[in-house]
Amino acid sequence: MDTPQEGSARETGRALSASPPLITRTLLIVTIVAFLAELIPGLDLLRRLSFVPALSLEQPWRVLSVALVHEEPSPFHLLANMIGLFFFGSFVERALGHWKFLAVYIIGTAGGSAMVLLLADPFDVDWVTNHIGASGAVFAIVGVLLAPTRRLDRNITGVLVFVALNFGYGFLVAGVSWESHLGGLITGFVLGCAGLLGPQRSRTLVFTVTSVGLVVLMAAAGAWKMVGLGL
């Protein structure tokens, strides 16, 4: 599958940064270290850090900590997400800048968890299932690449194939959280539009306002879900 490579922006405006993708590299290291820590007997990190809809109010940190834990002991789940983070993340970080990229990763993780919560049936096993992985964050990065702009010198066909294959796999194979993929993708697309479209001078302000708005919207949606259940 084709992935976006480093290059210059085609359209006049802010070119891709030449600085190293420090945030991407840091996230890779932190996530790999977290996976190794999962393998230490007694820590039980997968159970402690995974996202469980039923525990959203009692343990809200799980909305974000879910990105740190992956299926064990096989590294396949981790590798799949880290490969996506490395290729797509390096490109998007250079396009958006370090801190905007970090915001996409964090808010995208929350967006994935929020979608899982909203679509989970409280009378189904999904309500008490441990959802794991950085898929929501990775799909948020991919969502940025779907923003309708020519400023990104990316292979849009490769991006669309990635999305189609992953969603198809998620619908056909049990145990894959397609809800997290969807939430991350939507979140990333919105943030990508905010950070890449419009006049250069106003993009940071628009991106900041959009980020805050998404966080508030997710919190309100989660509260609405819990209130509707009488929790």
Side-chain angles (χ1 to χ4, degrees), residues 155-212:
N155 185 335
I156 192 64
T157 301
V159 175
L160 293 174
V161 169
F162 175 87
V163 172
L165 288 177
N166 277 272
F167 269 104
Y169 182 78
F171 281 115
L172 295 175
V173 179
V176 177
S177 181
W178 62 267
E179 300 94 336
S180 178
H181 295 177
L182 179 61
L185 189 70
I186 294 173
T187 301
F189 177 76
V190 172
L191 291 175
C193 290
L196 295 171
L197 304 182
Q200 175 72 40
R201 63 182 179 275
S202 63
R203 284 179 193 152
T204 296
L205 176 60
V206 172
F207 183 88
T208 301
V209 172
T210 302
S211 298
V212 173

Side-chain angles (χ1 to χ4, degrees), residues 44-67:
D44 200 14
L45 291 183
L46 192 149
R47 184 183 61 83
R48 295 174 183 271
L49 300 181
S50 59
F51 178 69
V52 182
L55 298 177
S56 298
L57 283 179
E58 182 182 348
Q59 300 175 10
W61 65 83
R62 292 175 179 265
V63 168
L64 298 179
S65 63
V66 60

